[in-house]
Amino acid sequence: MEEKWADLLKEWLPYGGGKPIPTPLRNHQMIRDHLAGAGPHYLRTDEALQKMFADVQNDPKKIREIESDAWEDFLDMTMSQALLWASENIDPAKTPSEVVLTEPYLMGSHASGTGAWVSGPEDIAPKEYFWGYNRMTTIRGLFAAGDGVGGSAHKFSSGSYTEGRLAGKAAVAYVHDNPPPPTLDGDRVEAIKNELFAPLEVYEQSRPAVTRGDVNPNALSPKQSLLRLQKIMDEYVAGQGSGYITNGPTLKRGLELLELLKHELPRMAARDLHDLLRVWEVWDRYYCAEAHARHMLFREETRWPGYYYRGDFPKLDEANWKCFTTSRYDAAKGEWTLTKRPFIQLIP
Ligand SMILES: Cc1cc2nc3c(=O)[nH]c(=O)nc-3n(C[C@H](O)[C@H](O)[C@H](O)COP(=O)(O)OP(=O)(O)OC[C@H]3O[C@@H](n4cnc5c(N)ncnc54)[C@H](O)[C@@H]3O)c2cc1C
């Protein structure tokens, strides 16, 4: 497919000339292939594994080791893929498996530059990227690492745990440099606890209104809320169902619908502690989704075809948008501010 759609890459130079082809551009080729009526598309684990078996002269003991390593990697990397294989009777050593571009729509920093804006290290970070402590976010004393950190095009397991160590050490240095240690405000802790457990109360209080089974006019389940969020993101924020395309007016309409949903989310009810976890996951996803939509609206170009397309700005615009974009949410006012940050080439 890379050869079949090689010409597409020329529209995305200089990145289109990269070897290996950058992930979004490979996705872009696959989407184009799909739109041209081709497919399905397959991951050729069978070819890769059979080649590895041949390399060890099909020695059964070594084959077992290779298979065991491969399964460990599959399970570590994306457990749901391994479950899918099991449920579809797929032996990855013998059968190719179909791949489609779909959820998760928000993949954090692993496959994009998404995440918290953190300070770089003091030895190489230019002043624009350094504010005292390696991996400290723009909130003093709050540190981030791994997929939680933005501004990096691709994160991996080893990089993430190394970054975790760096962030941990910097956090310790911060505590040492800024005595006395923080004290806890008991009233504030109590208020947070009440807020965290409130969905259990919503459930109890809404019970008398249940008409049948779990049909409850006064409460939302976390699952219902999640489905609504996914549907809005899919249709308005360049999801799979809309061919990964959106535009300014569509994003603004999506933001209106997100705002409506946000007003309903305090009615999420938790039957038990598991539901309570799900409720707070939905809130977390909600804010990620809203930030995502706002960043897409702010950036008036298409920089990552294959991840999403702005139909109204379908091209790469190096002159205006070769930069990072950051957002800040003012919880008291409920307002978002988006800003451009310079992209500084550190490795020539
Ligand atoms: C599909 C896919 C394939 C990948 N393939 C590879 C690969 O082949 N090789 C490779 O090196 N990397 C791969 N990665 C990337 C790698 O998995 C990540 O970069 C790495 O796991 C990030 O580590 P982390 O510790 O930053 O985040 P995570 O591993 O996501 O850890 C964050 C943890 O925080 C927990 N958490 C979240 N919220 C809360 C809360 N409120 N309270 C308590 N806990 C919470 C989560 O449950 C999670 O366990 C892949 C990632 C994906 C998604």
Side-chain angles (χ1 to χ4, degrees):
M1 190 161 57
E2 287 178 5
E3 282 164 28
K4 182 175 171 188
W5 295 100
D7 278 354
L8 276 186
L9 302 178
K10 293 182 190 146
E11 294 167 28
W12 303 94
L13 293 171
Y15 312 106
K19 295 276 178 240
I21 301 169
T23 310
L25 289 173
R26 272 185 284 140
N27 288 353
H28 179 45
Q29 291 177 314
M30 190 166 132
I31 291 172
R32 190 58 73 84
D33 203 48
H34 180 76
L35 291 176
H41 299 94
Y42 288 97
L43 190 66
R44 301 306 306 260
T45 48
D46 54 330
E47 279 181 6
L49 284 166
Q50 291 302 333
K51 184 175 174 312
M52 289 168 87
F53 297 164
D55 288 346
V56 296
Q57 283 80 46
N58 288 311
D59 176 338
K61 191 161 168 272
K62 291 191 175 140
I63 285 184
R64 196 71 213 122
E65 278 168 22
I66 293 170
E67 282 188 327
S68 161
D69 280 355
W71 274 103
E72 191 182 317
D73 286 348
F74 298 144
L75 285 166
D76 281 354
M77 187 171 61
T78 167
M79 197 185 287
S80 51
Q81 179 67 64
L83 292 174
L84 200 66
W85 283 333
S87 67
E88 293 183 4
N89 295 331
I90 288 175
D91 175 350
K94 295 187 186 132
T95 326
S97 36
E98 192 189 346
V99 278
V100 283
L101 289 164
T102 176
E103 293 90 342
Y105 299 145
L106 303 174
M107 191 122 114
S109 193
H110 168 56
S112 70
T114 328
W117 187 238
V118 298
S119 173
E122 60 185 355
D123 50 352
I124 56 162
K127 64 176 179 357
E128 292 86 344
Y129 294 171
F130 181 67
W131 45 95
Y133 294 90
N134 196 0
R135 297 312 189 260
M136 187 167 82
T137 65
T138 48
I139 298 171
R140 282 191 70 74
L142 180 68
F143 289 75
D147 280 5
V149 168
S152 153
H154 229 136
K155 286 292 171 68
F156 291 93
S157 305
S158 48
S160 297
Y161 68 66
T162 307
E163 214 176 352
R165 256 179 90 83
L166 294 171
K169 285 181 176 181
V172 171
Y174 176 88
V175 172
H176 275 290
D177 294 348
N178 294 278
T183 50
L184 284 181
D185 173 348
D187 289 347
R188 181 80 190 104
V189 172
E190 212 44 45
I192 291 173
K193 268 167 54 184
N194 288 339
E195 190 186 346
L196 286 180
F197 288 109
L200 293 166
E201 293 290 316
V202 175
Y203 180 75
E204 288 306 325
Q205 285 164 11
S206 66
R207 292 298 295 154
V210 169
T211 50
R212 186 172 66 91
D214 54 5
V215 179
N216 186 337
N218 291 342
L220 284 167
S221 73
K223 183 99 180 200
Q224 287 171 322
S225 314
L226 182 65
L227 287 175
R228 181 71 192 128
L229 179 62
Q230 292 276 61
K231 185 94 174 127
I232 296 170
M233 295 303 284
D234 190 46
E235 291 175 354
Y236 296 88
V237 195
Q240 189 263 351
S242 44
Y244 305 98
I245 303 174
T246 185
N247 58 40
T250 304
L251 284 165
K252 284 183 186 151
R253 178 69 188 131
L255 282 162
E256 283 172 9
L257 295 172
L258 283 173
E259 187 68 27
L260 285 174
L261 174 65
K262 187 180 177 184
H263 283 292
E264 297 299 333
L265 290 185
R267 282 155 41 119
M268 271 190 291
R271 283 168 301 184
D272 51 27
L273 288 177
H274 182 78
D275 265 5
L276 192 64
L277 169 93
R278 295 286 181 219
V279 164
W280 290 108
E281 269 182 1
V282 171
W283 271 112
D284 189 38
R285 285 173 190 220
Y286 173 84
Y287 281 108
C288 289
E290 187 177 345
H292 185 55
R294 291 189 183 279
H295 276 254
M296 285 165 78
L297 182 62
F298 185 61
R299 184 178 281 279
E300 296 184 328
E301 65 158 356
T302 298
R303 180 152 291 263
W304 298 281
Y307 285 174
Y308 75 90
Y309 305 83
R310 277 285 302 249
D312 43 357
F313 297 101
K315 296 223 155 51
L316 186 71
D317 179 354
E318 290 281 87
N320 294 303
W321 290 101
K322 191 176 179 181
C323 62
F324 296 109
T325 58
T326 53
S327 55
R328 182 181 286 263
Y329 179 62
D330 182 332
K333 293 187 190 151
E335 285 173 5
W336 292 79
T337 319
L338 280 102
T339 322
K340 285 185 179 183
R341 305 275 175 178
F343 170 83
I344 302 167
Q345 186 82 39
L346 295 180
I347 302 169

